[in-house]
């Protein structure tokens, strides 16, 4: 019974923390570069608020070619990241040997989504 109570308190605490962490003030951007056979997607999220933001979780990306998902996954990061006002979090994902076509990359992090369209010839 005590274990159940402890687990309930822990779950309630985690839900409260997640609910308090939102994307208000978190702004994102994405940049796509082609280097040889690699396509490098660099995404940046910046705390535009006047308060420190604690972000929980990792980034998730979806790559679409001609509106069909060709790759998706997570980019692992630490469980908690504190961003001071004006501070940025930047990371990248590299795709190798993508076929010619029209692509869209979408990256989600802490309820903030950024996307970019690009074409490979």
């Amino acid at each position: 019974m005590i274990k159940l109570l402890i687990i309930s308190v822990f779950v309630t605490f985690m839900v409260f923390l997640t609910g308090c962490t939102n994307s208000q003030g978190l702004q994102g951007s994405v940049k796509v570069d082609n280097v040889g056979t690699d396509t490098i997607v660099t995404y940046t999220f910046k705390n535009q608020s006047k308060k420190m933001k604690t972000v929980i979780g990792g980034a998730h990306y979806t790559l679409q070619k001609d509106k069909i998902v060709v790759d998706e996954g997570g980019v692992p990061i630490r469980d908690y990241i504190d961003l001071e006002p004006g501070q940025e979090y930047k990371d990248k994902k590299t795709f190798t040997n993508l076929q010619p076509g029209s692509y869209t990359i979408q990256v989600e992090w802490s309820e903030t989504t950024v996307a970019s369209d690009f074409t490979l010839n």
Side-chain angles (χ1 to χ4, degrees):
M1 187 69 172
I2 291 179
K3 285 182 181 180
L4 183 59
L5 179 62
I6 292 171
I7 290 171
S8 296
V9 169
F10 178 75
V11 169
T12 302
F13 177 71
M14 292 307 293
V15 168
F16 175 75
L17 276 180
T18 303
C20 291
T21 304
N22 61 42
S23 62
Q24 186 175 20
L26 194 61
Q27 182 179 13
S29 63
V30 64
K31 178 182 166 204
V32 179
D33 293 305
N34 294 309
V35 180
T37 60
D38 290 343
T39 301
I40 303 167
V41 175
T42 304
Y43 55 92
T44 305
F45 293 92
K46 184 175 182 177
N47 181 358
Q48 297 287 75
S49 75
K50 299 196 184 298
K51 298 179 183 177
M52 181 180 75
K53 296 284 181 188
T54 299
V55 183
I56 302 170
H60 178 266
Y61 69 88
T62 304
L63 179 66
Q64 295 182 4
K65 179 180 181 211
D66 302 320
K67 302 192 188 261
I68 298 171
V69 174
V70 293
D71 194 11
E72 64 182 323
V75 180
I77 58 172
R78 297 189 320 236
D79 288 336
Y80 296 90
I81 294 178
D82 293 330
L83 292 176
E84 295 292 336
Q87 187 177 11
E88 293 180 341
Y89 171 78
K90 186 181 283 194
D91 205 345
K92 64 182 175 180
K93 171 70 180 161
T94 301
F95 299 95
T96 302
N97 296 321
L98 293 178
Q99 298 300 311
S102 297
Y103 289 86
T104 300
I105 183 71
Q106 179 176 307
V107 181
E108 290 181 61
W109 190 52
S110 184
E111 300 175 15
T112 301
T113 302
V114 294
S116 181
D117 296 324
F118 63 98
T119 302
L120 295 177
N121 297 321

